Amino acid sequence: MKAYGAEFFGTFWLVLGGCGSAVISAAFPNVGIGLLGVALAFGLTVLTMAFAIGHISGCHLNPAVSIGLCVGGRFPAQKLVPYILAQVLGGIAAGGVLYLIASGKPGFDLAAGFASNGYGPHSPGGYSLNAAIVTEVVMTMMFLIVILGSTHKNAPAGFAPIAIGLCLTLIHLISIPVTNTSVNPARSTGVAVYVGGWAIQQLWLFWIAPITGALLGALVFRGIGPNRSES
């Protein structure tokens, strides 16, 4: 139960910190943090939580990561469903807190997107469905490879949170214009449920593509990495 609680609060922090930076701070007059700031915010949420709860739950914060680690032989299948539930609930709780904060500003409008992920007319750059699928699959695949490699027992000890946090930052720098960057079904769900409409209609992609990418990442690492007995 401690591990599930850690995943809940870890995912809560990821969605509140990452999506909160996008909703509240990205375009704040004169001192907005912009795309670079939002990308860094997502990376920092993972980095800080990896140090805080990595020793409790492994700090997955992401259903796709949990599934990828399971396929990669690093996580027991019997814990998969409770982890995913904790992550999704943490994301939704964070979305609720963010809504309470953001709606306190005059002129707040959920129609602006509320940091939801999307494609086509709901992509920040107007990117197509195919572009969104490729982006989410490839970015999540690379994320899993970095996670599996940096947490291997032969990797430099203590540096995995930094590598993983910076990897997520880089992923956002590449893909925010395409999909607003998901690579995490819990992150996408956490804000989409408040936006409703198109955000819910397009949510399927931000479950299927990240999970597909995570599975590919796990399979690739099993092919290029050490034998399972050395993991």
Side-chain angles (χ1 to χ4, degrees), residues 11 14-15 18-19 22 38 42 61-63 87-88 91-92 114-117 172 176 179-192 203 206-207:
T11 311
L14 183 146
V15 173
C19 294
V38 173
F42 272 100
L61 317 185
N62 183 336
Q87 292 155 0
V88 171
I92 293 173
F114 200 52
S116 291
N117 302 112
H172 279 78
I176 285 177
T179 62
N180 224 14
T181 309
S182 172
V183 302
N184 184 338
R187 169 261 187 267
S188 299
T189 304
V191 289
L203 186 59
F206 303 104
W207 275 85

Coordinates of all heavy atoms in Angstrom, one line a residue, residues 11 14-15 18-19 22 38 42 61-63 87-88 91-92 114-117 172 176 179-192 203 206-207:
T11 N 2.6 10.7 -9.1 CA 1.9 11.1 -10.4 C 1.1 12.4 -10.2 O 1.1 13.3 -11.1 CB 0.9 10.0 -10.8 OG1 1.6 8.8 -10.8 CG2 0.4 10.3 -12.2
L14 N 3.7 15.1 -10.7 CA 4.0 15.2 -12.2 C 3.0 16.0 -12.9 O 3.3 16.9 -13.7 CB 4.2 13.8 -12.8 CG 4.6 13.8 -14.2 CD1 5.5 12.5 -14.5 CD2 3.4 13.7 -15.2
V15 N 1.7 15.7 -12.7 CA 0.7 16.4 -13.4 C 0.5 17.8 -13.0 O 0.4 18.7 -13.7 CB -0.7 15.6 -13.3 CG1 -1.8 16.4 -14.0 CG2 -0.5 14.2 -14.0
G18 N 3.9 19.6 -14.1 CA 4.1 19.8 -15.5 C 3.0 20.5 -16.2 O 3.2 21.5 -16.8
C19 N 1.7 20.0 -16.0 CA 0.6 20.7 -16.6 C 0.3 22.0 -16.0 O -0.1 23.0 -16.6 CB -0.7 19.8 -16.5 SG -0.5 18.2 -17.4
A22 N 2.3 24.6 -17.6 CA 1.8 24.9 -19.0 C 0.6 25.8 -18.9 O 0.4 26.8 -19.6 CB 1.4 23.6 -19.7
V38 N 8.2 24.7 -19.7 CA 7.3 23.6 -19.5 C 8.0 22.3 -19.6 O 7.8 21.4 -18.8 CB 6.1 23.7 -20.5 CG1 5.2 22.5 -20.4 CG2 5.3 25.0 -20.2
F42 N 8.4 19.4 -16.5 CA 8.0 18.0 -16.5 C 9.3 17.1 -16.1 O 9.1 16.2 -15.3 CB 7.6 17.6 -17.9 CG 6.1 17.7 -18.1 CD1 5.6 18.8 -18.8 CD2 5.2 16.8 -17.6 CE1 4.2 19.0 -19.0 CE2 3.8 16.9 -17.8 CZ 3.3 18.1 -18.5
L61 N 5.2 6.5 -12.1 CA 4.3 7.7 -12.4 C 3.7 7.6 -13.8 O 3.2 8.6 -14.3 CB 5.2 9.0 -12.3 CG 6.2 9.1 -11.2 CD1 6.8 10.5 -11.2 CD2 5.5 8.8 -9.8
N62 N 3.6 6.4 -14.3 CA 3.2 6.4 -15.7 C 2.8 4.9 -16.1 O 3.6 4.0 -16.0 CB 4.4 6.8 -16.6 CG 4.1 6.8 -18.1 OD1 3.2 6.2 -18.6 ND2 4.9 7.6 -18.8
P63 N 1.5 4.7 -16.5 CA 1.1 3.3 -16.8 C 1.9 2.7 -17.9 O 2.2 1.5 -17.8 CB -0.4 3.5 -17.3 CG -0.8 4.7 -16.6 CD 0.4 5.6 -16.5
Q87 N -1.8 5.6 -10.3 CA -1.2 6.7 -11.2 C -2.4 7.5 -11.8 O -2.3 8.7 -11.8 CB -0.4 6.0 -12.3 CG 0.9 5.4 -11.8 CD 1.5 4.3 -12.6 OE1 0.9 4.0 -13.7 NE2 2.6 3.7 -12.3
V88 N -3.4 6.8 -12.3 CA -4.5 7.5 -13.0 C -5.2 8.4 -12.0 O -5.6 9.6 -12.2 CB -5.4 6.6 -13.7 CG1 -6.7 7.3 -14.2 CG2 -4.7 5.9 -14.9
G91 N -3.2 11.4 -11.1 CA -3.3 12.4 -12.2 C -4.6 13.2 -12.2 O -4.6 14.4 -12.4
I92 N -5.7 12.5 -12.0 CA -7.0 13.1 -11.9 C -7.1 14.1 -10.7 O -7.7 15.2 -10.8 CB -8.1 12.1 -11.9 CG1 -8.2 11.3 -13.2 CG2 -9.5 12.7 -11.6 CD1 -9.2 10.2 -13.2
F114 N -6.4 23.5 -21.4 CA -6.0 23.0 -20.1 C -4.9 21.9 -20.1 O -4.9 21.0 -19.4 CB -7.3 22.4 -19.4 CG -7.2 22.2 -17.9 CD1 -6.9 23.3 -17.1 CD2 -7.5 21.0 -17.3 CE1 -6.8 23.2 -15.7 CE2 -7.4 20.9 -15.9 CZ -7.1 22.0 -15.1
A115 N -3.9 22.2 -21.0 CA -2.7 21.3 -21.2 C -3.1 19.9 -21.7 O -2.3 19.0 -21.5 CB -1.9 21.3 -19.9
S116 N -4.3 19.8 -22.3 CA -4.6 18.5 -22.8 C -3.8 18.1 -24.1 O -3.3 19.0 -24.8 CB -6.1 18.4 -23.2 OG -6.9 18.5 -22.0
N117 N -3.7 16.8 -24.3 CA -3.0 16.3 -25.5 C -4.0 16.2 -26.6 O -5.1 15.8 -26.5 CB -2.3 15.0 -25.2 CG -1.4 15.1 -24.0 OD1 -1.6 14.5 -23.0 ND2 -0.3 15.8 -24.2
H172 N 9.9 16.4 -24.2 CA 9.0 17.6 -24.3 C 9.5 18.6 -25.3 O 8.7 19.3 -26.0 CB 8.7 18.2 -22.9 CG 7.7 17.4 -22.1 ND1 8.0 16.2 -21.5 CD2 6.4 17.6 -21.9 CE1 6.9 15.7 -20.9 NE2 5.9 16.6 -21.1
I176 N 6.3 18.8 -27.8 CA 5.2 19.7 -27.3 C 4.5 20.3 -28.6 O 3.2 20.3 -28.6 CB 5.7 20.8 -26.4 CG1 6.0 20.3 -25.0 CG2 4.7 21.9 -26.3 CD1 6.6 21.3 -24.0
T179 N 2.0 17.1 -30.1 CA 0.9 16.6 -29.3 C 0.6 17.2 -28.0 O -0.2 16.8 -27.2 CB 1.0 15.1 -29.1 OG1 2.2 14.9 -28.3 CG2 1.2 14.3 -30.3
N180 N 1.5 18.2 -27.6 CA 1.5 18.8 -26.3 C 2.2 17.8 -25.4 O 2.2 18.0 -24.1 CB 0.2 19.2 -25.8 CG 0.2 20.5 -25.1 OD1 1.2 21.3 -25.2 ND2 -0.9 20.8 -24.3
T181 N 2.8 16.7 -25.9 CA 3.5 15.7 -25.2 C 2.7 15.0 -24.2 O 2.4 15.5 -23.1 CB 4.8 16.2 -24.6 OG1 5.6 16.9 -25.6 CG2 5.7 15.0 -24.1
S182 N 2.5 13.7 -24.4 CA 1.9 12.8 -23.4 C 3.0 11.9 -22.9 O 3.6 12.1 -21.9 CB 0.7 12.0 -24.0 OG 0.3 11.0 -23.1
V183 N 3.3 10.8 -23.7 CA 4.1 9.7 -23.3 C 3.7 9.1 -21.9 O 4.5 8.3 -21.3 CB 5.7 10.0 -23.3 CG1 6.1 10.5 -24.7 CG2 6.1 11.0 -22.2
N184 N 2.5 9.5 -21.5 CA 2.0 9.1 -20.2 C 0.5 9.1 -20.1 O -0.1 10.2 -20.1 CB 2.6 10.0 -19.1 CG 2.3 9.6 -17.7 OD1 1.3 8.9 -17.5 ND2 3.1 10.1 -16.8
P185 N -0.2 8.0 -20.2 CA -1.6 8.0 -20.2 C -2.2 8.6 -18.9 O -3.3 9.2 -19.0 CB -2.0 6.5 -20.2 CG -0.8 5.8 -20.9 CD 0.4 6.6 -20.4
A186 N -1.6 8.5 -17.8 CA -2.1 9.1 -16.6 C -2.1 10.6 -16.7 O -3.0 11.3 -16.2 CB -1.3 8.6 -15.3
R187 N -1.0 11.2 -17.2 CA -0.9 12.6 -17.4 C -2.0 13.1 -18.3 O -2.6 14.1 -18.1 CB 0.5 12.9 -18.0 CG 0.7 14.4 -18.4 CD 0.5 14.4 -20.0 NE 0.8 15.7 -20.5 CZ 0.0 16.7 -20.8 NH1 -1.3 16.6 -20.4 NH2 0.4 17.8 -21.3
S188 N -2.2 12.4 -19.4 CA -3.2 12.8 -20.4 C -4.6 12.7 -19.8 O -5.5 13.6 -20.0 CB -3.2 11.9 -21.6 OG -1.9 12.0 -22.3
T189 N -4.9 11.6 -19.1 CA -6.2 11.4 -18.5 C -6.5 12.5 -17.4 O -7.6 13.0 -17.2 CB -6.4 10.0 -17.9 OG1 -6.1 9.1 -18.9 CG2 -7.7 9.8 -17.3
G190 N -5.5 12.8 -16.6 CA -5.6 13.7 -15.5 C -6.2 15.1 -15.8 O -6.9 15.7 -15.0
V191 N -5.9 15.6 -17.0 CA -6.5 16.8 -17.5 C -7.7 16.7 -18.4 O -8.6 17.5 -18.5 CB -5.4 17.8 -18.1 CG1 -4.5 18.3 -17.0 CG2 -4.7 17.1 -19.2
A192 N -7.7 15.6 -19.2 CA -8.7 15.4 -20.2 C -10.1 15.3 -19.6 O -11.1 15.7 -20.2 CB -8.4 14.2 -21.1
L203 N -8.4 10.8 -26.4 CA -7.6 10.2 -25.3 C -7.1 8.9 -25.7 O -6.1 8.4 -25.2 CB -8.4 10.2 -24.0 CG -7.7 9.8 -22.8 CD1 -6.5 10.7 -22.5 CD2 -8.7 9.8 -21.6
F206 N -3.5 8.6 -26.6 CA -2.6 8.8 -25.6 C -2.5 7.7 -24.5 O -1.8 7.8 -23.5 CB -2.8 10.2 -25.0 CG -2.7 11.2 -26.1 CD1 -3.8 11.9 -26.6 CD2 -1.5 11.5 -26.7 CE1 -3.8 12.8 -27.7 CE2 -1.4 12.5 -27.8 CZ -2.5 13.1 -28.2
W207 N -3.3 6.7 -24.8 CA -3.1 5.4 -24.1 C -2.4 4.4 -25.0 O -1.4 3.8 -24.6 CB -4.5 4.9 -23.6 CG -4.9 5.4 -22.3 CD1 -5.6 6.6 -22.1 CD2 -4.7 4.9 -21.0 NE1 -5.8 6.8 -20.8 CE2 -5.3 5.7 -20.1 CE3 -4.1 3.7 -20.5 CZ2 -5.3 5.5 -18.7 CZ3 -4.1 3.4 -19.2 CH2 -4.7 4.3 -18.3

